[in-house]
Amino acid sequence: MFKKLLAILMVVLMAAGLLAGCNTSTSKNASKTPTGTSDRAKEQITLNVWYTYPENNTPGTPDHMLKKIAENYMKENPNVKVNMVGNATTDKTLTALVGGQGPDIFLNLWPNVATWSQKGVLLDLTDYVNNDKEFDKNDILPSAWKLATFKGRIYGIPNEINSSEIYYNKDLLKAAGFDGPPETMEDLINMAYKLTKTDANGNIIQLGFLPDFPWRDDVLWPIVYGANWIDEKANKITFDTPEMKAAYQWQVDIYKKYGVDKLQKFKSGFGSDAQDP
């Protein structure tokens, strides 16, 4: 029963990863070993599920959808009670797990897989994933499994993988003399400058490209420049490599050229929803 619920939630939850806690005393969990579920078919089970989304029962919100999924699951499995709890921050979840009062299933980010598994608060899911006939591991990309794995053992179920796209204004590019989008980083940087316009006081009235909006991307740009975060053979952090420095330097150069204050002022006028660039 535990594995079936885990698989169902894995398909529908929209977050970076689904993990199972192993330090909980508030619920009657399924067995910690990958056994069959037939002997637990009538056992009364309570599962506490925590997620990072804010609690908002408005139709269409993640909170509302997750609770509906839990309701439908409980109708199909009357012996299972699922407690859904939102607003579960990373700190809150970790504190609860360490104290033995954490959730059975929860949403988290992949960087925590290694550190949290070392703390002993995550259930080793390797045998569940590999031996459950109802679960097809091949439905998930190998690259996603890698992020859920630490030292050859699986501690999380990937349920979302992000992609990055670039949007561009064909008319503005054409007016600046370009016949298509950038194909290299050199193209992107060149366009960022040529498409930026300022008034007589240096205030930005048109911005070609801002690399840290809507957030500073510490993954995309280092990958583009071929940087690595760790030398696996030497087990050493490699954050200060030339590739990593280059990934940040071109972003710094844009801020130096136009000024932090002027860029912040320009961003403040973006607005939200339909006005968000």
Side-chain angles (χ1 to χ4, degrees):
M1 188 63 68
F2 174 83
K3 293 185 290 182
K4 289 182 179 179
L5 179 61
L6 188 65
I8 290 173
L9 287 173
M10 176 204 67
V11 175
V12 296
L13 291 178
M14 296 301 294
L18 190 63
L19 308 179
C22 63
N23 280 347
T24 177
S25 59
T26 59
S27 62
K28 189 173 184 180
N29 291 325
S31 172
K32 299 299 184 187
T33 57
T35 59
T37 58
S38 59
D39 58 334
R40 298 198 302 271
K42 296 182 180 180
E43 180 183 356
Q44 291 300 312
I45 300 173
T46 298
L47 292 174
N48 295 310
V49 180
W50 291 12
Y51 46 92
T52 53
Y53 301 116
E55 294 188 346
N56 183 348
N57 205 35
T58 303
T61 62
D63 176 64
H64 179 265
M65 290 188 289
L66 294 178
K67 288 178 178 176
K68 291 296 293 184
I69 292 168
E71 289 175 8
N72 292 335
Y73 185 83
M74 287 186 285
K75 288 179 181 178
E76 296 178 2
N77 302 274
N79 64 308
V80 181
K81 180 181 180 181
V82 183
N83 296 322
M84 305 293 285
V85 179
N87 290 316
T89 64
T90 299
D91 291 341
K92 176 182 177 181
T93 301
L94 179 59
T95 300
L97 289 171
V98 172
Q101 300 296 320
D104 301 293
I105 303 172
F106 59 96
L107 292 176
N108 212 302
L109 300 174
W110 65 265
N112 294 326
V113 169
T115 55
W116 288 27
S117 62
Q118 286 184 307
K119 293 178 184 296
V121 298
L122 298 184
L123 178 65
D124 186 339
L125 300 174
T126 308
D127 292 335
Y128 286 108
V129 170
N130 292 334
N131 300 332
D132 192 337
K133 295 180 180 180
E134 298 179 15
F135 183 83
D136 189 354
K137 185 179 179 181
N138 294 324
D139 286 341
I140 299 175
L141 292 173
S143 57
W145 277 120
K146 184 177 181 180
L147 299 179
T149 304
F150 180 64
K151 292 186 176 180
R153 307 299 292 179
I154 297 172
Y155 290 95
I157 305 296
N159 65 306
E160 177 182 328
I161 189 167
N162 296 325
S163 61
S164 297
E165 295 81 29
I166 184 169
Y167 295 86
Y168 59 96
N169 187 312
K170 293 189 291 185
D171 293 335
L172 292 180
L173 260 65
K174 185 176 180 180
F178 300 107
D179 57 5
E183 297 182 2
T184 65
M185 279 304 300
E186 289 74 15
D187 290 344
L188 178 60
I189 295 170
N190 185 33
M191 290 179 178
Y193 289 123
K194 287 194 174 182
L195 286 163
T196 299
K197 297 180 180 179
T198 60
D199 61 18
N201 296 319
N203 294 311
I204 300 170
I205 56 177
Q206 176 180 300
L207 185 62
F209 188 75
L210 192 60
D212 66 336
F213 180 84
W215 54 74
R216 189 186 73 246
D217 200 316
D218 296 326
V219 177
L220 173 63
W221 302 125
I223 288 177
V224 169
Y225 275 88
N228 292 308
W229 287 263
I230 187 171
D231 181 337
E232 294 186 6
K233 291 183 178 180
N235 195 30
K236 180 182 179 182
I237 299 296
T238 56
F239 188 78
D240 60 347
T241 62
E243 294 82 4
M244 188 67 77
K245 292 178 180 178
Y248 287 95
Q249 188 60 55
W250 75 277
Q251 302 178 62
V252 172
D253 291 342
I254 290 178
Y255 271 88
K256 284 185 175 181
K257 180 176 179 63
Y258 299 108
V260 174
D261 292 343
K262 287 184 170 58
L263 283 166
Q264 295 290 2
K265 179 180 178 181
F266 186 80
K267 285 195 292 184
S268 68
F270 283 170
S272 59
D273 299 327
Q275 286 75 43
D276 191 325

